[in-house]
Amino acid sequence: MWTVRAMSALSGISIRTLHYYDEIGLLRPAEIGENGYRLYDEASLMRLKSILFFRELQFPLKEIAAMLGQEDFDPREALSRQITLMEMKRQRLERLIALARKTLDEGGNIMDFKAFDDHVFQQYAKETKERWGHTEAYQAYEKRGASDGPEVQQAMMGIFAQLGELKALSPAAPRVQEKIEALRQFITAHFYPCTKEILQSLGQMYTADERFRKNIDAAGGEGTAAFAEKAIQAYCGEK
Amino acid sequence: MWTVRAMSALSGISIRTLHYYDEIGLLRPAEIGENGYRLYDEASLMRLKSILFFRELQFPLKEIAAMLGQEDFDPREALSRQITLMEMKRQRLERLIALARKTLDEGGNIMDFKAFDDHVFQQYAKETKERWGHTEAYQAYEKRGASDGPEVQQAMMGIFAQLGELKALSPAAPRVQEKIEALRQFITAHFYPCTKEILQSLGQMYTADERFRKNIDAAGGEGTAAFAEKAIQAYCGEK
DNA sequence: TAAACTATTACGAAGCGTGAAGGTGG
DNA sequence: TCCACCTTCACGCTTCGTAATAGTTT
């Protein structure tokens, strides 16, 4: 059993914050001593870690509390989603760094703010919140996954397999770009009109979300997902 | 000349935020029309970009305003510092991702919160604020750099040169770890007692700050800085 | 004249930092 | 008895979102 100070030292968060988290019911002490002291245990530490991961991803504390409170909340699934979200953040950071470097030595395009865009992350964050929020939107999400018949999936993986064979080329090479165009038309034909923006979002999902990445790499060989993302960037990049 | 809506569409930030930035003097319109409308120009866009980079790094808006207001503010130097800071953020994210993965498939150590730690970033952020804040701390920082005589610098680069020759080995290999130990003792002898934590911070600086990285790579060959950081992680990692 | 802008003003919420004032433990 | 710890208010700050109300442009 640890006091607030010990918890603070272990985790690096402030005592005030622990008080606050208690106050809003986000992290209640395991026990209250006779003297009124807050006492925490190992379960508290684990919960705190879960909280910190979500906080890192700028989830509002109230929603974190709500999610952790759900009976069907699954720490492992949460962790897996958190990893995906962190990968997305990292990719955004990399785009920002690239933009900054370009601005520094080329001057760059004044009106280019694309790198600041956040909606891929926000979208997946929303889905995650809905995962433990039981909204209608999640129902729709569940269904969508099921409605993709296996033959459609396989056809799409065929495109990635072809793309995988071109990994040695530059992502911007014409033969590669052809495949991206084919991918786009395939999506338009089978799912929804695939604008460049949507395509770009998908590209990021391919590398950030493990489920996508594994499937794609299985179809086209190690690194195909990453290659696809770069090719998509090139496709969408210079208008 | 653009209206608020046009600016919002271009940059992706909300109209309310533009109003607010005007209100606190962070981003004044280039001009106010007769009708009272806010009108922005290209300079506004560039300033906004600067602001967004700093905001991305969680600088308080007031401090951003103060810095941009300094007469000796240098956009290029700012950009370069922003890049360093973003690199640091990215590294932290990677550590967090690694921690999450480990937790997911090993269970991991419950009490391990190191990856959440932020002080390397915070420290450099502070220095950046002080760079355009003209505080005493910055004077001290300036002096410190000058006091490192060239012979001390060269001796240290010698260690990195030796480290560079071991790049083919694993970062955790004994012969590599010896060099890290030597580095640590060298720092202790010439600068200040080098605890593991300080060493770890330095390791991150080596790859995040271009000035460090270039010097180190010049001494030990391309990739030496990155290799040094990994070796330092290994050195500090498992206690 | 309606639709689509613009403006100002104001209330509110999130996530703590920072005391103040007072009880506990070794 | 002292010092370092704990407690509970309580106020304030930042960064906008979200109306509400009213004038402007097309």
Side-chain angles (χ1 to χ4, degrees):
Chain A
M1 288 296 200
W2 300 294
T3 65
V4 273
R5 178 159 301 264
M7 278 288 278
S8 171
L10 275 169
S11 64
I13 71 167
S14 77
I15 293 177
R16 176 64 176 97
T17 299
L18 283 170
H19 284 172
Y20 182 63
Y21 287 179
D22 181 8
E23 186 183 331
I24 64 172
L26 177 55
L27 180 64
R28 292 265 148 85
E31 197 180 316
I32 304 283
E34 307 186 345
N35 45 20
Y37 287 17
R38 293 173 177 83
L39 298 173
Y40 299 87
D41 61 4
E42 297 205 347
S44 315
L45 264 184
M46 293 190 51
R47 187 178 169 103
L48 180 54
K49 213 185 254 187
S50 244
I51 293 170
L52 289 185
F53 272 120
F54 277 126
R55 191 181 70 164
E56 185 70 29
L57 299 162
Q58 10 257 25
F59 280 55
L61 300 184
K62 282 202 175 165
E63 296 184 13
I64 302 180
M67 290 169 54
L68 296 189
Q70 290 289 336
E71 24 180 275
D72 65 337
F73 177 80
D74 174 3
R76 293 180 59 81
E77 187 189 345
L79 213 39
S80 152
R81 282 171 179 272
Q82 287 162 341
I83 290 174
T84 298
L85 284 164
M86 287 192 284
E87 290 277 9
M88 288 176 169
K89 276 198 83 169
R90 193 182 53 134
Q91 286 186 33
R92 195 174 92 100
L93 258 179
E94 274 165 12
R95 287 199 305 279
L96 281 170
I97 291 172
L99 171 63
R101 283 202 216 282
K102 209 165 125 189
T103 308
L104 196 54
D105 51 49
E106 286 178 33
N109 182 355
I110 311 180
M111 306 192 13
D112 186 7
F113 282 79
K114 286 196 304 290
F116 286 102
D117 182 43
D118 214 8
H119 78 275
V120 186
F121 175 90
Q122 294 300 338
Q123 174 59 32
Y124 192 80
K126 216 178 96 193
E127 282 182 8
T128 300
K129 288 168 192 169
E130 284 162 357
R131 164 62 184 88
W132 287 288
H134 307 288
T135 70
E136 333 71 64
Y138 179 58
Q139 314 292 344
Y141 169 70
E142 291 273 66
K143 266 192 202 156
R144 217 194 310 149
S147 76
D148 300 355
E151 71 290 347
V152 179
Q153 291 288 356
Q154 284 196 3
M156 195 143 127
M157 285 308 142
I159 300 183
F160 284 114
Q162 293 173 37
L163 199 58
E165 289 170 15
L166 304 176
K167 281 206 295 280
L169 301 179
S170 153
R175 289 182 53 201
V176 176
Q177 293 296 301
E178 273 171 32
K179 295 299 170 197
I180 301 299
E181 174 63 24
L183 175 66
R184 184 184 174 181
Q185 291 186 7
F186 183 89
I187 295 171
T188 300
H190 292 86
F191 303 101
Y192 36 74
C194 183
T195 67
K196 281 197 178 184
E197 280 126 35
I198 291 179
L199 187 62
Q200 208 160 12
S201 306
L202 283 173
Q204 294 176 239
M205 289 282 288
Y206 290 162
T207 47
D209 190 315
E210 280 195 42
R211 295 166 298 179
F212 279 110
R213 200 182 51 216
K214 283 186 179 165
N215 280 329
I216 293 172
D217 282 4
E222 189 76 20
T224 302
F227 181 70
E229 205 229 324
K230 281 183 191 163
I232 287 174
Q233 296 293 356
Y235 181 92
C236 300
E238 358 292 340
K239 52 148 187 311
Chain B
M1 287 297 203
W2 299 295
T3 65
V4 273
R5 177 159 303 262
M7 279 287 279
S8 170
L10 275 169
S11 64
I13 70 168
S14 78
I15 292 177
R16 175 65 176 96
T17 299
L18 283 170
H19 284 172
Y20 182 62
Y21 287 180
D22 180 10
E23 185 184 331
I24 64 172
L26 177 55
L27 180 65
R28 303 258 185 214
E31 198 181 316
I32 304 283
E34 305 185 345
N35 45 21
Y37 287 16
R38 294 172 176 83
L39 297 172
Y40 299 86
D41 60 6
E42 297 205 348
S44 314
L45 264 183
M46 294 189 50
R47 187 178 169 104
L48 179 54
K49 213 185 254 186
S50 244
I51 293 170
L52 289 186
F53 272 120
F54 277 125
R55 192 181 70 163
E56 185 69 29
L57 299 162
Q58 8 257 24
F59 280 54
L61 300 184
K62 281 202 175 166
E63 294 184 15
I64 301 179
M67 289 169 55
L68 296 188
Q70 290 290 335
E71 24 179 280
D72 66 336
F73 177 79
D74 175 2
R76 294 181 58 80
E77 187 188 345
L79 212 39
S80 150
R81 282 173 180 273
Q82 287 163 340
I83 291 174
T84 300
L85 284 164
M86 288 192 284
E87 289 278 8
M88 288 175 169
K89 276 197 84 170
R90 192 182 54 131
Q91 287 186 32
R92 196 174 89 101
L93 258 180
E94 274 165 12
R95 287 200 305 280
L96 282 170
I97 292 172
L99 171 62
R101 283 203 215 283
K102 210 164 126 188
T103 309
L104 196 55
D105 51 50
E106 286 178 33
N109 182 356
I110 310 181
M111 306 192 19
D112 185 8
F113 283 79
K114 287 197 302 292
F116 286 101
D117 182 42
D118 213 7
H119 79 276
V120 186
F121 175 90
Q122 294 301 337
Q123 175 59 31
Y124 192 80
K126 215 179 98 194
E127 281 182 9
T128 299
K129 288 168 191 167
E130 285 161 357
R131 164 62 184 87
W132 287 288
H134 308 287
T135 69
E136 334 70 65
Y138 179 59
Q139 315 290 345
Y141 169 68
E142 291 274 65
K143 267 195 200 152
R144 217 195 310 148
S147 77
D148 299 356
E151 71 288 349
V152 179
Q153 289 288 356
Q154 284 196 2
M156 197 145 126
M157 285 308 142
I159 299 181
F160 283 113
Q162 294 173 37
L163 198 57
E165 289 170 17
L166 304 176
K167 281 205 296 280
L169 301 179
S170 153
R175 288 182 55 203
V176 175
Q177 293 297 302
E178 274 171 30
K179 295 299 170 194
I180 301 298
E181 175 64 24
L183 176 65
R184 182 182 177 183
Q185 292 187 6
F186 183 88
I187 294 171
T188 300
H190 292 85
F191 303 99
Y192 36 74
C194 183
T195 67
K196 280 196 179 186
E197 280 126 36
I198 291 179
L199 187 62
Q200 207 159 14
S201 307
L202 283 173
Q204 294 176 237
M205 289 282 288
Y206 291 161
T207 47
D209 191 317
E210 281 195 41
R211 293 166 300 181
F212 279 110
R213 200 182 52 213
K214 282 185 180 167
N215 281 330
I216 293 173
D217 282 4
E222 190 75 21
T224 303
F227 181 71
E229 205 229 322
K230 282 184 190 164
I232 287 173
Q233 296 293 357
Y235 182 93
C236 300
E238 357 293 339
K239 51 151 190 312

